[in-house]
Amino acid sequence: MKITRLPVDPGPAGWNALLPEAAAPVPLESAVTADWLVIGAGIAGLAAARRLAQLHPGDRIVVLEARRVAEGPAGRNSGFMIDLPHDLTSEDYGGAIERDRFQIRANRHAIAFAHGAVEEYGLTPEAFDPCGKINAAATEKGHRHNLDFARHLKALGEPCEMLDAGQMQELCGTGYYHSGLFTPGAVMVQPAMYVRGVARGLASNRVQIHEGSPVVALDRSGDWVAKTPKGQVVAPRVILAVNGHAEAFGQFTGRLMHVFTYASMTRALTEGEVARLGGQARWGVTPSDPLGTTVRRISGTGGDRIVVRNRFTYNPTLESSDAQLARVVRDHDRAFAARFPMLAGVDMEYRWGGRLCLSRNGVAAFGQSDEGLFSACCQNGLGLAKGTLGGVLAAEQASGVGSELLDGMLAEAEPQRLPWGPVARIGATAVLRWGEKRAGREL
């Protein structure tokens, strides 16, 4: 398997830009042997490496990352680690009761694993804050979606609380929202701070992480041999944790949908702007319509800022350009102005795009595909929770450790095959545009 090109993410990873410059990377520049190789140092790859270190404390574990930790999708997501059903293809995020109960158990297992890493490596609440989240409704239709979702959660036995317009304004400082649905189990993550902290913790536990080391070929002759531009790793077992890039490794070809979503982050607000805004210093809302606008207010490293995320594009080549970014983020400015008129004149300092990998039937690209080769890919828009879970379970499967959650993952169908390329592109683009138009003021 020769890998000739890497995905292209437009713009800087804004979350990472807020942090102090990381230590110089250590690319792989020699031939090494290992007991385990993990390809990809994102959410899934770091979770897999940590679980392997727990299960095999004496083994040599090597992680290869094409770029810098937190510069790829792991450092570009919105930072919601969600415990409840959150199906982006559903009108109200929910699904069948029993499937949703399994998903809740799985997501909470992932959150508990991530929380263990936070405690072990001494990360702060700014990196990982188990404060819950709000599904915000800007329209009567959105409010009805929240009511439907609340009824679904109550059928599941899950706690939630409806917030009225006044409570939403007290929280967010804006009168834009009609209502909100608070659920207490989600975690708000500063994604770059989190993944860099986990990577540092793993390195201190003798896991070797080589940044700037893209795998350009992966072959098996007895053991697996992964070649980088200046080195190679020989290992009997490999965990592939590269999300949609798995197709470049010959895995799940023609079964994965590659979608970009986009975000903008303001400059740090002044004291006067903070006073005009009001509300609480840290909060996050997902939209009641899955194709609406996600908003977070953050404070801490980098100052007091607001992040908005909306718009989706279908990019089967795993490439999005700065020109495409410039076109879609105009909607960020409109969404920001509509929600925060008291902050007129506040500019966006960072704008970026990040990749999602989806399957038509909403399942992961997971499991053993060859002798010693395991995949933890396709997170269907929930990279923090499902990426963590996929990495943990891939490490356990490769180690022969069984569980109810692993059995459930292995029982799922394969990702469904996509239509012929041009048909898939036209169909996916039409569905996205129609969904965004239908979102109305939620966008």
Side-chain angles (χ1 to χ4, degrees):
M1 289 176 273
K2 292 184 178 180
I3 297 87
T4 58
R5 64 181 184 180
L6 294 172
V8 177
D9 301 313
W15 297 105
N16 201 30
L18 298 179
L19 304 181
E21 187 174 352
V26 182
L28 181 67
E29 297 183 340
S30 62
V32 301
T33 60
D35 299 293
W36 301 89
L37 170 62
V38 179
I39 301 176
I43 299 296
L46 294 176
R50 180 169 182 261
R51 188 64 179 130
L52 289 173
Q54 292 175 335
L55 293 170
H56 311 281
D59 283 5
R60 185 176 189 183
I61 302 165
V62 173
V63 181
L64 298 178
E65 168 57 37
R67 296 194 288 181
R68 299 300 310 271
V69 170
E71 278 296 317
R76 293 169 178 265
N77 66 66
S78 296
F80 291 82
M81 198 169 201
I82 299 173
D83 62 327
L84 297 175
H86 198 80
D87 182 359
L88 295 181
T89 65
S90 167
E91 287 196 355
D92 62 2
Y93 298 112
I97 292 288
E98 287 307 313
R99 179 179 173 85
D100 281 353
R101 283 181 174 147
F102 175 81
Q103 192 59 62
I104 290 168
R105 291 195 300 274
N107 290 346
R108 287 178 178 163
H109 184 77
I111 290 172
F113 183 85
H115 189 246
V118 167
E119 291 187 329
E120 181 179 354
Y121 305 142
L123 304 188
T124 67
E126 185 181 352
F128 189 92
D129 186 4
C131 61
K133 76 166 186 71
I134 294 170
N135 232 36
T139 63
E140 182 59 32
K141 179 183 176 183
H143 178 60
R144 290 195 301 271
H145 282 179
N146 272 349
L147 292 174
D148 290 342
F149 192 37
R151 283 190 287 270
H152 184 66
L153 293 179
K154 288 177 182 178
L156 290 166
E158 293 297 331
C160 58
E161 178 186 358
M162 289 297 301
L163 306 179
D164 62 23
Q167 290 171 304
M168 288 297 291
Q169 184 160 7
E170 183 178 351
L171 172 72
C172 305
T174 173
Y176 190 81
Y177 296 113
H178 290 201
S179 66
L181 179 65
F182 173 73
T183 53
V187 179
M188 302 298 296
V189 176
Q190 207 286 30
M193 186 178 289
Y194 171 74
V195 294
R196 282 173 55 171
V198 172
R200 283 195 304 272
L202 287 171
S204 70
N205 288 342
R206 297 187 300 176
V207 173
Q208 297 180 23
I209 301 177
H210 294 283
E211 299 173 89
S213 302
V215 174
V216 297
L218 180 65
D219 300 294
R220 184 166 67 87
S221 177
D223 287 345
W224 288 94
V225 180
K227 295 182 180 179
T228 70
K230 295 185 178 181
Q232 71 175 30
V233 180
V234 179
R237 290 153 297 191
V238 176
I239 294 178
L240 194 63
V242 293
N243 212 10
H245 191 43
E247 287 190 309
F249 290 82
Q251 306 299 306
F252 307 99
T253 303
R255 297 177 183 270
L256 305 180
M257 295 186 289
H258 309 294
V259 174
F260 277 74
T261 189
Y262 303 87
S264 294
M265 178 187 290
T266 69
R267 60 163 171 77
L269 303 180
T270 66
E271 289 185 7
E273 289 162 347
V274 168
R276 291 202 303 274
L277 172 60
Q280 296 183 13
R282 299 180 70 182
W283 50 264
V285 300
T286 52
S288 60
D289 187 293
L291 293 185
T293 297
T294 296
V295 186
R296 282 189 63 179
R297 181 177 170 187
I298 60 174
S299 61
T301 304
D304 200 317
R305 298 170 183 257
I306 292 174
V307 185
V308 296
R309 189 235 69 196
N310 64 37
R311 296 299 312 273
F312 294 84
T313 61
Y314 181 65
N315 299 69
T317 62
L318 280 78
E319 297 182 9
S320 180
S321 65
D322 288 337
Q324 188 169 38
L325 172 65
R327 288 193 297 271
V328 300
V329 299
R330 290 191 289 257
D331 284 323
H332 297 171
D333 296 338
R334 286 193 285 268
F336 179 80
R339 288 161 175 78
F340 305 106
M342 75 293 289
L343 297 180
V346 173
D347 296 325
M348 298 294 178
E349 183 171 0
Y350 301 111
R351 301 186 189 269
W352 67 90
R355 284 168 280 131
L356 308 179
C357 178
L358 312 176
S359 63
R360 289 181 69 188
N361 50 337
V363 300
F366 177 85
Q368 184 172 2
S369 57
D370 201 342
E371 183 179 346
L373 181 62
F374 303 83
S375 293
C377 302
C378 190
Q379 295 146 13
N380 287 288
L382 290 176
L384 285 170
K386 290 190 175 182
T388 299
L389 180 73
V392 169
L393 294 183
E396 291 179 354
Q397 184 190 21
S399 302
V401 175
S403 69
E404 178 213 3
L405 293 178
L406 178 58
D407 290 344
M409 286 283 282
L410 293 175
E412 289 188 332
E414 275 194 303
Q416 290 178 350
R417 186 168 295 280
L418 302 179
W420 177 55
V423 174
R425 181 191 290 272
I426 293 169
T429 300
V431 168
L432 290 172
R433 295 294 79 78
W434 169 244
E436 290 173 337
K437 182 178 180 179
R438 190 179 60 177
R441 274 175 55 87
E442 304 295 348
L443 181 65

